[in-house]
Amino acid sequence: MSERRPPTIKTVAARAGVGRTTVSRVLNGSELVSSEARTRVLEAIKELNYVPNSVARGLVTNRTEAVALVIPESESRLGSEPFFAALIRGVSGVLTETRTQLQLVLVRDESERDQLTSSIAARRVDGVLLVSVRAQERLAAMLEEMGLPTVLAGRRGEDERLSYVTSDNLGGATEAVAHLLRRGRGRVATITGSLDMDVGHTRLAGWRRAHEQAGLRADESLVEAGDFSEQGGRRAMRSLLERAPGLDAVFAASDLMAVGALAELRRRGRRVPDDVAVVGFEDSVLARHTNPPLSTVRQPVEEVGRTMARILLSEIAEADPERQQLTLPTELVVRDSS
Amino acid sequence: MSERRPPTIKTVAARAGVGRTTVSRVLNGSELVSSEARTRVLEAIKELNYVPNSVARGLVTNRTEAVALVIPESESRLGSEPFFAALIRGVSGVLTETRTQLQLVLVRDESERDQLTSSIAARRVDGVLLVSVRAQERLAAMLEEMGLPTVLAGRRGEDERLSYVTSDNLGGATEAVAHLLRRGRGRVATITGSLDMDVGHTRLAGWRRAHEQAGLRADESLVEAGDFSEQGGRRAMRSLLERAPGLDAVFAASDLMAVGALAELRRRGRRVPDDVAVVGFEDSVLARHTNPPLSTVRQPVEEVGRTMARILLSEIAEADPERQQLTLPTELVVRDSS
DNA sequence: CCGCGCGTTGGGAACGTTCCCACCCGGCGA
DNA sequence: TCGCCGGGTGGGAACGTTCCCAACGCGCGG
């Protein structure tokens, strides 16, 4: 049994007694082929177990039928994995419907980012999904310049020009803080995310806006910068407690930071929610399993992924697509920590 | 500014005043080119910002420089996401070193599996990584038959013929149960994983072996089948408590099931670890955040991913590779639940 | 009865690369 | 001086597909 080469379109054509072109037409669903020829071709395809070589096809169509999902690994390492898992699930679901491949790219550092650049230039993908971009993301700028279809999860800033999908960070944060204020908490602190990311910024803006809407003056000394990590949450909680021992609630811009905050509060003997109420953001699996279970803002992560994929596909399909920028609603989930 | 086509090897050749072949030789690091020609070519490449079209290259080399990582979504939905995240991280790390692309494939059901089949037949990838295979996994059988390089995470059974990497499920489970027995627990129950998967089977075997090694007879009525899910763990715990109210320890074949078991124990007013000790398997993020923190068996998941990738790459590179089957060591992590 | 048009068909060229092979040229040994 | 050898080079073919265009046959109207 020697190494058999897989059948090509020529083999099929010969078998069906037609020309290459006719087979190609059948494959691509053209109308211009007699039903007789069509059935003969389909038979031959089945008999030979023929599958068109997508690489060869890609060469002439200049399409790869693949998109890249780029995730900075620094983020995924921070343990917000459930976020990425849900996002991937959403993206993947939509892509498989259209038989588009998903190329997953974890970038660890600058050198890998450059490599990605050349991989994109090598026409390996038809479009790019970019996650958790910082304000000055070189890659996004480059994609924009190249004119390669691109959709961001989140935006670089308020004046974003690329297409993006984000959850309602402003609304969600506002609701969370308003909820704390409504429950009679008078000194609501906040632990922010990285402030060089729009999410970080916007959730902080929500904290401010909730105060404003309640007719209160937000006390800026109750703001402590975090970095979305558990460790960062713990550290931030510590300095908040030192600086403002009288605080009676904390809004953390991520569940993970809330977990860190909970740990620190417990260490200091503050009871949650009796002494200090805590609300997170994301509704990751973690939130259900903390002690006490964490109140948090649920993001429609999977839906964000689905939407991103749909937008990207349409940008790839259309000649001159217009940018789409969507904000999906969040939902406050009240558990026992507030 | 009209739509500019990217430069091809011909453009570069013309610019450098050499033939296509010489450029190709420089690109592929051939020795047979004068240093003078080489520098001229490299200059031209830089000036034109040329990147070889990988699709065209793939057509003639019959290589795509990409591998697929196939994950059954039913599993990932079960919340063992951290597992997949770590695995992906490991795989990705090794792949980027060799500039190999990672194609992520989430299969939800049989139809998507068939689609995957044809995508593989369409020569889109050079090899496949397959995660959490059931005993009779059609896909694995198909890959084996096609002769496409394949590496499994875990094995289908003890007589696996494909290459695989797995963590030491037998050793880890044995150690966990031995630890419980050593602490004087006399009636150690176990909640198994899905028994149509080798992991499920083998961890149960570890439970038996620990008893054996301690010179005890394992009481088979203390075995309850689970399915790796939290819900399954809860249900299993319930029937165990009804059937054997005197049990004083539980070894769950996954952290998630352990979490379910903890919830059920709490509901019934059993104290952990005072009344009943609990040990899980996996050391996911969850384990650190349960109440009380969960003792568990740590798997070197990221290392499993790295190893899988390395084996796959070598199988792709070599003409007639021999199968590699590796078992990586686990480690018992004792926290407060035991 | 001829020509036109339309539905159908298939061959040639092109996509951008690699590989095979033939060629060129200079040096060196006979 | 001639032939041979070997390093360096480049053109042609091939990879498997799609698209363009020419051609075919048939029916129908003039």
Side-chain angles (χ1 to χ4, degrees):
Chain A
M1 166 180 138
S2 74
E3 188 74 46
R4 283 203 72 66
R5 313 185 107 280
T8 76
I9 202 173
K10 260 185 195 157
T11 333
V12 176
R15 176 84 160 227
V18 299
R20 286 187 340 276
T21 316
T22 303
V23 178
S24 174
R25 273 193 271 260
V26 171
L27 252 24
N28 297 289
S30 159
E31 294 300 311
L32 286 172
V33 51
S34 66
S35 64
E36 186 204 4
R38 165 169 288 119
T39 55
R40 277 219 309 275
V41 168
L42 289 175
E43 246 167 47
I45 288 179
K46 182 163 290 179
E47 285 171 13
L48 292 169
N49 228 316
Y50 166 75
V51 180
N53 181 322
S54 65
V55 175
R57 176 179 291 181
L59 181 56
V60 39
T61 58
N62 209 19
R63 282 283 184 81
T64 58
E65 238 60 307
V67 306
L69 172 59
V70 181
I71 299 179
E73 181 166 351
S74 54
E75 306 302 321
S76 89
R77 208 174 257 298
L78 290 184
S80 35
E81 286 115 346
F83 175 83
F84 292 105
L87 195 81
I88 290 174
R89 210 152 48 215
V91 168
S92 160
V94 170
L95 290 185
T96 35
E97 284 168 19
T98 57
R99 315 190 128 254
T100 305
Q101 312 291 315
L102 174 60
Q103 197 118 77
L104 186 67
V105 186
L106 260 47
V107 281
R108 272 182 298 198
D109 51 35
E110 286 303 313
S111 84
E112 290 191 3
R113 193 157 304 214
D114 293 348
Q115 181 172 334
L116 167 64
T117 302
S118 58
S119 141
I120 287 167
R123 326 246 143 11
R124 301 194 70 119
V125 292
D126 298 335
V128 177
L129 299 169
L130 213 51
V131 177
S132 68
V133 280
R134 305 193 164 260
Q136 30 259 337
E137 171 64 63
R138 274 169 43 198
L139 192 53
M142 211 200 64
L143 290 166
E144 189 176 358
E145 193 187 349
M146 285 180 59
L148 194 69
T150 303
V151 179
L152 309 180
R155 55 187 189 182
R156 280 172 291 175
E158 294 183 16
D159 57 341
E160 182 63 65
R161 283 184 313 279
L162 290 169
S163 290
Y164 68 81
V165 180
T166 183
S167 47
D168 185 4
N169 292 307
L170 183 61
T174 308
E175 195 183 349
V177 175
H179 152 79
L180 290 168
L181 294 172
R182 257 196 324 270
R183 297 235 166 154
R185 305 288 170 162
R187 296 187 55 74
V188 180
T190 185
I191 302 177
T192 77
S194 316
L195 289 177
D196 59 345
M197 294 177 67
D198 182 76
V199 240
H201 239 76
T202 307
R203 291 180 189 168
L204 172 56
W207 174 84
R208 293 205 179 99
R209 199 171 68 150
H211 282 87
E212 199 177 300
Q213 288 180 350
L216 302 167
R217 217 180 53 79
D219 178 353
E220 293 289 333
S221 77
L222 292 177
V223 175
E224 179 70 31
D227 57 1
F228 288 123
S229 76
E230 180 174 350
Q231 186 56 40
R234 187 183 313 240
R235 203 170 35 230
M237 191 71 247
R238 194 174 317 137
S239 43
L240 277 174
L241 285 173
E242 279 161 13
R243 190 162 70 227
L247 62 84
D248 57 8
V250 181
F251 165 60
S254 79
D255 282 357
L256 216 51
M257 291 197 299
V259 166
L262 284 178
E264 183 64 20
L265 287 167
R266 189 175 317 122
R267 209 176 64 81
R268 302 253 176 159
R270 307 285 187 112
R271 288 166 308 160
V272 175
D274 311 52
D275 301 334
V276 180
V278 178
V279 177
F281 205 117
E282 180 171 322
D283 194 25
S284 71
V285 232
L286 274 183
R288 279 197 307 279
H289 297 288
T290 52
N291 176 24
L294 184 69
S295 297
T296 185
V297 179
R298 177 176 301 159
Q299 301 180 270
V301 186
E302 199 167 329
E303 183 62 21
V304 168
R306 275 195 294 268
T307 311
M308 288 177 70
R310 272 194 283 264
I311 294 179
L312 185 61
L313 288 175
S314 78
E315 288 208 1
I316 290 171
E318 283 163 48
D320 184 28
E322 61 183 296
R323 305 275 185 244
Q324 296 193 49
Q325 309 192 322
L326 261 63
T327 300
L328 303 183
T330 56
E331 177 195 357
L332 179 66
V333 180
V334 179
R335 297 208 177 85
D336 305 342
S337 68
S338 69
Chain B
M1 168 178 137
S2 73
E3 187 75 46
R4 284 201 72 64
R5 315 186 105 277
T8 75
I9 202 172
K10 258 185 196 155
T11 332
V12 176
R15 177 83 161 228
V18 298
R20 288 186 339 279
T21 316
T22 302
V23 177
S24 174
R25 273 192 272 259
V26 170
L27 251 25
N28 296 289
S30 158
E31 295 299 311
L32 285 171
V33 49
S34 66
S35 63
E36 186 206 3
R38 164 168 290 119
T39 54
R40 277 218 310 274
V41 168
L42 289 176
E43 244 166 49
I45 288 180
K46 181 162 290 180
E47 285 170 15
L48 293 169
N49 228 318
Y50 167 75
V51 180
N53 181 322
S54 65
V55 174
R57 176 179 290 180
L59 181 56
V60 40
T61 59
N62 209 19
R63 282 282 184 82
T64 57
E65 230 80 289
V67 305
L69 172 58
V70 181
I71 298 179
E73 181 166 352
S74 54
E75 306 302 322
S76 88
R77 208 174 259 299
L78 290 183
S80 33
E81 286 116 346
F83 175 85
F84 293 105
L87 195 80
I88 289 174
R89 210 151 47 215
V91 168
S92 161
V94 171
L95 290 185
T96 35
E97 286 168 18
T98 57
R99 313 191 128 252
T100 306
Q101 312 290 316
L102 175 60
Q103 196 117 74
L104 187 65
V105 185
L106 260 47
V107 282
R108 271 182 300 199
D109 52 34
E110 285 304 311
S111 83
E112 290 192 3
R113 194 157 303 211
D114 293 348
Q115 181 173 335
L116 167 63
T117 303
S118 56
S119 141
I120 287 168
R123 325 249 138 16
R124 301 193 71 118
V125 291
D126 298 336
V128 176
L129 299 169
L130 212 52
V131 177
S132 69
V133 279
R134 305 194 164 260
Q136 30 260 335
E137 172 64 63
R138 273 169 43 198
L139 192 52
M142 212 200 66
L143 289 166
E144 189 176 358
E145 193 186 350
M146 286 179 59
L148 194 70
T150 303
V151 178
L152 309 180
R155 55 186 190 183
R156 280 173 292 176
E158 295 184 13
D159 58 341
E160 182 64 65
R161 284 183 311 279
L162 290 169
S163 291
Y164 68 81
V165 180
T166 182
S167 47
D168 187 4
N169 292 306
L170 183 62
T174 308
E175 194 183 351
V177 175
H179 152 78
L180 290 169
L181 294 172
R182 258 198 322 270
R183 298 235 165 153
R185 304 288 169 162
R187 294 186 57 72
V188 180
T190 185
I191 301 177
T192 76
S194 314
L195 290 177
D196 59 343
M197 292 177 69
D198 182 76
V199 240
H201 239 77
T202 307
R203 291 179 190 168
L204 173 56
W207 175 82
R208 294 207 178 98
R209 199 171 68 151
H211 283 87
E212 201 177 296
Q213 289 180 349
L216 302 167
R217 218 179 52 78
D219 179 352
E220 293 289 332
S221 77
L222 292 177
V223 176
E224 181 69 32
D227 56 2
F228 288 123
S229 76
E230 180 173 351
Q231 187 56 40
R234 186 183 313 240
R235 203 169 39 228
M237 191 71 247
R238 194 176 316 136
S239 42
L240 277 173
L241 284 173
E242 278 161 13
R243 192 161 70 227
L247 63 84
D248 55 9
V250 182
F251 165 60
S254 79
D255 282 357
L256 216 51
M257 292 197 299
V259 166
L262 285 177
E264 183 63 20
L265 287 167
R266 189 175 317 123
R267 207 177 63 83
R268 302 254 177 159
R270 307 285 187 114
R271 289 167 307 162
V272 175
D274 312 51
D275 301 334
V276 180
V278 177
V279 177
F281 204 117
E282 181 171 321
D283 194 25
S284 70
V285 231
L286 273 183
R288 280 198 305 279
H289 298 289
T290 53
N291 177 23
L294 185 67
S295 298
T296 186
V297 178
R298 176 176 301 158
Q299 301 180 270
V301 186
E302 199 167 331
E303 181 62 22
V304 168
R306 276 194 294 268
T307 311
M308 288 178 70
R310 272 195 283 264
I311 294 180
L312 185 62
L313 289 175
S314 78
E315 287 208 3
I316 290 172
E318 283 164 47
D320 183 26
E322 60 182 296
R323 304 276 186 243
Q324 296 194 49
Q325 309 193 320
L326 261 63
T327 301
L328 303 183
T330 56
E331 177 195 358
L332 180 66
V333 180
V334 179
R335 298 206 177 85
D336 303 344
S337 69
S338 68

